[in-house]
Amino acid sequence: MKLEGQIEEIIYQNETNSYTIAELSTDEEIFTVVGYLPFINEGDFLSLEGKFVTHQDYGRQFKIDTFEKKMPETKEALEKYLASGIIKGIGPSTAKKIVDKFGDETIAVFKFEPSRLSEVKGISASGAIEMAEEFNTKWDLWQIVGFLEKFGINASNSKKVYEALGNDAIEEIKRNPYVLVDITYGVDFFKIDKMALEIGIDVNSYQRIGAGIRYGLILASYNGNTCVEKNNLYEFVKNKLSVEEKYIDEVIINLKSTGKIVEEETDDKTWIFLEELYRVEKNIAQRIYMMMKTKNVKYIKSFSEQLEKEEMFLQMILSEKQKEALKEVNESNISIITGGPGTGKTTIIRALIDIYKLNGQKVVLCAPTGRAAKRMSESTGEEAKTIHRLLDIGKIEDNKLENIDAEFAPIDADVLVIDEMSMVDVFLMNYITKAIYMGTKLVLVGDSNQLPSVGPGSVLKDLIESEKIPTTNLDKIFRQAAKSKIILNAHKVNNGESFVNKNEAKDTMDDFFFIDETSQEKMISDVVSLTTGRLQNYGNYDFYDNMQVLTPTKKGPLGTRELNKTLQNAINPENEKKKEKKFGEITFREGDRVMQIKNNYDIFWDRDTNGIYENSTGVFNGEIGRVEKIDLTERQMKVLFDDGKNVWYQFSELDQLEQAYAVTIHKSQGSEFDVVVIAIPQAAPLLLTRNLLYTAITRAKKLLVILGNKSTVEFMIQNVDSKKRNTGLRQKITYLLDKKD
């Protein structure tokens, strides 16, 4: 059967495979349609082929076999399409003005005379061009989407393919499907391989084996590695592609000769790198070498005397290790300060700022995430930026392998201090070292025992283990910090020891509680009660202002997906005065706590801080805020972020947000909260590691409650993450400095 109509509402859409449940409005009635509809939005006009089925719970539905996206054929239909919010900047009122102005010529204006859109009141000349470009891109894109969808290629990659290959994308892909491996970071190689074999590409072809090798190296980078042991790579390709080793040998030789991969001998092993990842490590090593060999032009001769004065100003005596760290900053162009909570890293940064400012030198502070930068600002009293903001990185982060040689404006600083260095991957470190003037001091601060970066590399760990960069390891817990069971237990976990007992901690604060619980239902009940008033005897804590729930996983009753639903119902229940918008499996409600889950460099924001108005663009992964308003008429939602930014999201952009009553421990890295509740379910051993628990504990400032089975928690404490990352940065730094010394 065939149905034609407009998508009125998307009830559910799977982000991974674009399986969709939607309401389709036809001339006769509204039907529920189900099936795979990649890159389809509310407001689109579709021609569907399929059949009616009866679902035992949801009744009669139209099951889609194939679809075709169609142009609206009447003025009314076109206005409805434009009013749906599918084109950024066009809502119902603007849509009506456009169609009233241009009538039957509206589509022709979008396609061939886009500048004429500025004749409509409220549309600027630049806005007209942007609207037309988005309108035309959306129509061109569906053809590629439809083609790739037949082979199971994720819809989220379709736009990238279109941007890389243009209007001839389909023909290019038919000639060589393996081109998709290079274009689409994250694509499923085996679906592409299936497509290639179906159109006749030979099993032992250079194209196929070369793409398989590259895919294996890319796959390893998803797990944090910058290289793969040669023998392991051979095994992967042999097993996955069913090819003989002699063919792999030939392709490896060719890939090396053409510079697409690099082979390196270290530690009696042979390692294979993607050329891009080899080059990024080499760039970092060379820049660090240059920094270390450059004259120390920011050296302060009277540093020791000024350090004594700083102790008087701070009204505290610095430890020998703290003084050592500060003197290393003065003596070296690059230095590392590492240590756990309560060991005095923040005091060192404050002292460093004071001394260098008194000498007329500019100290710049930054961190990998917005929340980490905000925390740095609060603890030092000085402005701190995200690394992305400082470097104005922009969209190059979306195509990291293609932008290794990107250039940046030099950072205007005499001393650059980077906090939370364990979160910095090789790409970000490459950008940082490119932007530093030779002579600027670089101070790297972090805790190498926390979770490693999401992206490839172990930058902080590699730099420390090279033993070539001056490093101060702060291992003394200060007296005030030692009164905190949170800090004591963080260090105990890091040392592989169980939590302190009452006899060990007589003069400590009641700021740490472990609830030994095996029942998931009871743990869920405890999470709710702890976040809705149970902790009132320990402080005036409000969930939105002071608290955060953490969990190792997204899945299961104690994963973020289910906990967010449970906590939304408890903390921000349904209310007729609060508007809602259902998007996929999430129902956003006014008052919800939400988190940005992908970088958006273009989205507009403004804020008014004590009468000072600012506006700019860009909201980044990990930023947390609250839903202020949902406008069902204009189909948009306003979020107020913790740093005061006001941001309007079109409904079509809500895939960038998720609820944040509960977040994963990985997502919390770089943040601190007054009160943290950690729910630890039984889960896969890979998730239950010592550094994950250590990272979670160190997120809490004033109060921490851990819920979980004692044996599970003990397992985490003993489960040292043995999944060592394969990287080459340490060896490159060591080689350069040994060779040139």
Side-chain angles (χ1 to χ4, degrees):
M1 291 187 65
K2 195 170 185 178
L3 285 182
E4 290 191 354
Q6 184 181 33
I7 297 291
E8 286 282 336
E9 182 182 2
I10 292 177
I11 299 168
Y12 167 77
Q13 189 165 54
N14 184 298
E15 289 183 22
T16 303
N17 61 16
S18 295
Y19 181 80
T20 304
I21 303 171
E23 298 290 338
L24 183 83
S25 176
T26 70
D27 292 338
E28 300 166 0
E29 60 179 292
I30 295 176
F31 296 100
T32 299
V33 298
V34 297
Y36 297 95
L37 292 175
F39 261 96
I40 294 301
N41 302 281
E42 291 178 2
D44 280 344
F45 283 81
L46 304 180
S47 175
L48 308 175
E49 289 188 9
K51 58 181 177 291
F52 281 103
V53 296
T54 301
H55 191 282
Q56 60 181 10
D57 293 325
Y58 304 116
R60 191 168 180 253
Q61 300 176 335
F62 188 81
K63 188 174 181 181
I64 303 162
D65 291 329
T66 62
F67 79 95
E68 181 183 356
K69 191 170 176 178
K70 299 178 72 68
M71 281 281 190
E73 294 175 352
T74 66
K75 287 192 290 183
E76 293 77 14
L78 181 57
E79 182 182 331
K80 198 174 180 184
Y81 171 76
L82 294 173
S84 68
I86 195 168
I87 308 298
K88 191 174 179 180
I90 302 179
S93 59
T94 305
K96 188 174 189 311
K97 290 177 188 176
I98 291 171
V99 176
D100 285 348
K101 172 76 175 173
F102 300 113
D104 293 334
E105 297 180 0
T106 300
I107 290 175
V109 168
F110 271 102
K111 281 185 166 293
F112 307 115
E113 299 179 280
S115 60
R116 288 189 61 198
L117 290 170
S118 62
E119 296 172 18
V120 175
K121 188 176 180 181
I123 300 178
S124 65
S126 61
I129 300 301
E130 288 173 6
M131 289 172 183
E133 285 178 351
E134 189 173 355
F135 180 92
N136 292 320
T137 297
K138 279 180 163 57
W139 288 113
D140 290 340
L141 187 59
W142 76 265
Q143 297 177 62
I144 296 166
V145 171
F147 173 75
L148 294 176
E149 191 266 338
K150 293 175 185 176
F151 300 96
I153 304 301
N154 191 315
S156 63
N157 287 306
S158 300
K159 188 172 184 181
K160 197 180 290 185
V161 175
Y162 174 78
E163 289 170 349
L165 302 179
N167 293 327
D168 296 328
I170 292 174
E171 293 307 313
E172 288 274 347
I173 294 164
K174 283 180 177 177
R175 281 194 292 272
N176 177 19
Y178 296 111
V179 71
L180 293 169
V181 175
D182 290 330
I183 296 170
T184 53
Y185 192 79
V187 77
D188 188 333
F189 170 82
F190 300 106
K191 288 176 179 173
I192 294 172
D193 193 42
K194 182 174 180 288
M195 180 199 306
L197 295 174
E198 284 176 356
I199 64 174
I201 289 180
D202 187 72
V203 170
N204 296 318
S205 70
Y206 168 84
Q207 287 175 318
R208 181 171 186 258
I209 297 172
I213 290 167
R214 185 172 175 82
Y215 174 72
L217 294 170
I218 291 173
L219 198 62
S221 76
Y222 300 159
N223 294 318
N225 304 293
T226 60
C227 56
V228 175
E229 192 179 345
K230 188 173 183 178
N231 291 337
N232 292 339
L233 183 62
Y234 268 69
E235 285 302 310
F236 174 85
V237 177
K238 276 197 298 184
N239 293 335
K240 297 296 184 181
L241 273 65
S242 298
V243 293
E244 295 177 33
E245 196 165 305
K246 64 178 181 179
Y247 296 112
I248 303 173
D249 276 329
E250 292 172 5
V251 176
I252 288 278
I253 292 167
N254 192 292
L255 289 172
K256 284 189 334 191
S257 67
T258 55
K260 292 182 179 178
I261 63 171
V262 178
E263 197 172 283
E264 187 173 73
E265 301 279 344
T266 58
D267 303 326
D268 299 322
K269 292 181 180 178
T270 303
W271 301 92
I272 304 289
F273 293 77
L274 279 175
E275 186 277 334
E276 296 94 333
L277 286 171
Y278 181 85
R279 183 154 39 97
V280 82
E281 286 190 343
K282 190 175 178 183
N283 287 352
I284 295 167
Q286 287 177 331
R287 294 287 291 182
I288 285 175
Y289 169 80
M290 290 166 63
M291 290 173 69
M292 294 185 74
K293 295 302 179 185
T294 297
K295 185 178 178 181
N296 187 356
V297 294
K298 310 298 180 186
Y299 179 79
I300 298 171
K301 291 182 180 178
S302 58
F303 195 86
S304 295
E305 293 86 345
Q306 293 191 34
L307 194 51
E308 289 179 16
K309 291 179 182 177
E310 179 63 16
E311 283 185 293
M312 293 174 64
F313 175 74
L314 292 172
Q315 295 184 328
M316 65 183 298
I317 297 172
L318 297 172
S319 71
E320 288 305 310
K321 279 287 184 77
Q322 286 177 311
K323 291 177 184 177
E324 177 189 319
L326 286 161
K327 287 175 181 176
E328 285 289 11
V329 172
N330 188 45
E331 297 286 341
S332 312
N333 284 334
I334 176 170
S335 58
I336 297 170
I337 302 166
T338 183
T343 56
K345 297 191 295 292
T346 300
T347 301
I348 293 171
I349 296 172
R350 287 208 302 261
L352 183 156
I353 292 167
D354 291 341
I355 292 170
Y356 280 91
K357 282 177 74 174
L358 282 171
N359 283 272
Q361 297 191 30
K362 183 177 179 180
V363 180
V364 172
L365 310 178
C366 65
T369 67
R371 292 188 71 85
K374 183 183 178 186
R375 183 162 58 84
M376 202 179 186
S377 294
E378 291 168 349
S379 62
T380 62
E382 299 286 329
E383 181 189 19
K385 294 181 178 179
T386 64
I387 297 170
H388 290 77
R389 273 277 170 234
L390 182 66
L391 300 181
D392 193 21
I393 287 174
K395 293 182 180 179
I396 70 168
E397 276 280 272
D398 293 338
N399 295 292
K400 295 176 181 180
L401 292 178
E402 298 169 22
N403 290 290
I404 287 161
D405 297 319
E407 295 297 327
F408 300 90
I411 299 167
D412 180 17
D414 296 300
V415 182
L416 176 64
V417 183
I418 304 175
D419 200 7
E420 296 288 353
M421 263 303 295
S422 63
M423 299 178 71
V424 174
D425 65 18
V426 289
F427 295 116
L428 205 50
M429 189 63 181
N430 180 43
Y431 305 149
I432 292 162
T433 55
K434 277 174 169 287
I436 289 178
Y437 276 118
M438 289 298 107
T440 293
K441 288 185 177 294
L442 177 61
V443 183
L444 308 176
V445 183
D447 185 348
S448 59
N449 293 308
Q450 286 191 20
L451 292 168
S453 58
V454 175
S458 298
V459 174
L460 180 61
K461 201 169 184 181
D462 282 353
L463 296 182
I464 293 170
E465 290 182 355
S466 74
E467 299 182 352
K468 297 295 180 183
I469 296 164
T471 299
T472 306
N473 182 18
L474 304 171
D475 51 12
K476 176 188 173 184
I477 306 175
F478 282 85
R479 184 179 300 169
Q480 188 62 35
K483 293 181 180 180
S484 166
K485 287 182 191 168
I486 295 172
I487 290 174
L488 287 175
N489 281 322
H491 286 272
K492 275 190 164 286
V493 166
N494 195 38
N495 293 328
E497 302 170 20
S498 299
F499 300 146
V500 294
N501 58 47
K502 290 180 181 178
N503 295 329
E504 288 180 282
K506 291 178 181 177
D507 299 321
T508 55
M509 297 179 285
D510 282 334
D511 62 353
F512 180 101
F513 299 93
F514 171 57
I515 300 173
D516 184 4
E517 183 58 67
T518 56
S519 164
Q520 287 197 340
E521 290 76 13
K522 184 65 169 63
M523 287 171 69
I524 293 167
S525 173
D526 282 342
V527 169
V528 172
S529 65
L530 287 164
T531 54
T532 54
R534 183 171 156 190
L535 297 174
Q536 59 187 356
N537 292 336
Y538 296 91
N540 185 25
Y541 297 126
D542 173 75
F543 181 82
Y544 291 107
D545 296 334
N546 309 97
M547 305 179 76
Q548 184 61 58
V549 176
L550 303 181
T551 175
T553 181
K554 292 181 179 180
K555 299 176 181 178
L558 286 163
T560 54
R561 290 170 187 162
E562 292 303 317
L563 275 180
N564 273 315
K565 293 176 186 176
T566 302
L567 290 169
Q568 182 193 42
N569 290 334
I571 296 167
N572 186 32
E574 192 173 353
N575 186 318
E576 61 182 16
K577 294 181 181 179
K578 294 181 178 180
K579 294 188 179 70
E580 298 180 355
K581 169 59 183 172
K582 186 171 175 60
F583 188 85
E585 295 181 341
I586 299 174
T587 298
F588 290 106
R589 183 175 297 144
E590 290 176 339
D592 273 349
R593 176 185 277 181
V594 292
M595 175 186 279
Q596 179 82 10
I597 58 171
K598 58 179 76 171
N599 292 335
N600 184 332
Y601 305 94
D602 299 322
I603 198 163
F604 176 83
W605 59 261
D606 64 358
R607 69 178 161 212
D608 192 333
T609 309
N610 301 321
I612 300 172
Y613 178 77
E614 299 175 88
N615 67 74
S616 187
T617 57
V619 180
F620 301 103
N621 189 359
E623 294 195 51
I624 292 177
R626 286 183 71 181
V627 177
E628 285 277 293
K629 184 177 181 181
I630 294 175
D631 189 331
L632 297 172
T633 303
E634 292 294 327
R635 303 177 62 77
Q636 54 186 352
M637 185 169 89
K638 181 183 179 184
V639 176
L640 173 63
F641 284 93
D642 286 354
D643 61 357
K645 295 196 298 281
N646 292 291
V647 182
W648 282 99
Y649 291 81
Q650 300 293 320
F651 284 172
S652 58
E653 298 173 312
L654 294 184
D655 62 333
Q656 300 174 34
L657 296 168
E658 64 182 26
Q659 288 165 336
Y661 297 98
V663 301
T664 62
I665 296 166
H666 280 88
K667 283 285 189 184
S668 74
Q669 195 171 359
S671 302
E672 278 188 346
F673 309 91
D674 287 343
V675 181
V676 171
V677 177
I678 307 171
I680 302 177
Q682 290 185 336
L686 281 174
L687 285 173
L688 302 177
T689 61
R690 181 188 294 176
N691 63 354
L692 191 80
L693 180 59
Y694 174 74
T695 300
I697 290 171
T698 55
R699 300 310 93 205
K701 291 195 290 184
K702 296 181 180 178
L703 188 63
L704 174 68
V705 183
I706 299 177
L707 298 159
N709 178 255
K710 186 176 181 180
S711 62
T712 303
V713 173
E714 288 294 332
F715 173 81
M716 290 184 82
I717 293 171
Q718 300 308 319
N719 186 21
V720 180
D721 188 6
S722 58
K723 193 176 163 187
K724 183 183 181 297
R725 293 186 168 190
N726 297 321
T727 65
L729 181 59
R730 175 179 63 83
Q731 291 89 342
K732 290 177 178 65
I733 290 170
T734 304
Y735 172 78
L736 271 179
L737 288 162
D738 283 347
K739 179 184 176 184
K740 300 192 178 183
D741 284 346

